[in-house]
Amino acid sequence: MKNISSSIQVLDRAMALVGVLSRASGPVSLTRLAGEAELHTASAHRILGALMVHGLIEKTGAGEYDLGVRWLEMGNRLRVRLNIRQVAMPGMQQLAELTGETVNLIVRRGDEAVYVERVTGGQTMIQVVQVVGAHAPLHVTAVGKIFLAEDSASAVLGYAERTGLPAYTPNTLITLEKLRAELDVIRREQLAYDREEAELGVACIGAPIRDAEGKLVAGLSISAPADRHKPGWADALKKTAAQAGAALGYLADV
């Protein structure tokens, strides 16, 4: 318990130093930093050193301290996450109108795929609707498999060991061998399928959305009763996902 309290105290002190730098108009001396953060100079120096190792703090040639570029990198990633709904929505609406089915925007949260936005099409018959905020294991969803396909072999193994690859239907991929084989195909085609693996009678097709750095940040999927899927949806979905990526700065042919 003592170690936990000590760690929290160090974190509080680190954030106090960061707070001083974020309010300053430029680099700040160690003495001023320690004073405004209400820390001993030696303590401030040790904490600043640790923050420098992680790129959160930089030291100028004059011996003063400033925020590091790592904050900019994290800010850009947060901006992408906040903007992803906005940039994806126009294409999602067009795709839903084209197919008449439900189009989902999905992100990864740990070992799960999370539905963060959806647009329903004009089908008057049975329609598949994923509730915003719903989540499912990565290996049973199309976009979830896309995220797994980005992982290293050891990371995929770790996922399989943590989750046990539970079966949701008789079609679920429940062995590491089968999952790895499918991920190889997804890496080549940049397209994934859920063949009634999460729910019988429901199939999905998914495509990746990448940011300016080429990082996979989300995915789009079309969900529909398995017997209503059309061959032309794959190209339309990939184009829509690529357009969303282009809006985030991803340089690729769309």
Side-chain angles (χ1 to χ4, degrees), residues 6-20 33 37-40 42-44 46-48 51:
S6 177
S7 297
I8 293 173
Q9 187 178 52
V10 171
L11 179 59
D12 287 340
R13 291 174 175 177
M15 292 311 298
L17 291 167
V18 169
V20 173
L33 266 174
E38 300 181 349
L39 298 173
H40 291 298
S43 295
R46 285 196 300 272
I47 295 171
L48 288 167
L51 293 173

Side-chain angles (χ1 to χ4, degrees), residues 115-133:
Y115 296 79
V116 296
E117 193 57 87
R118 67 176 173 81
V119 177
T120 56
Q123 277 285 358
T124 56
M125 298 181 290
I126 297 174
Q127 190 172 59
V128 177
V129 177
Q130 297 290 355
V131 178
V132 172

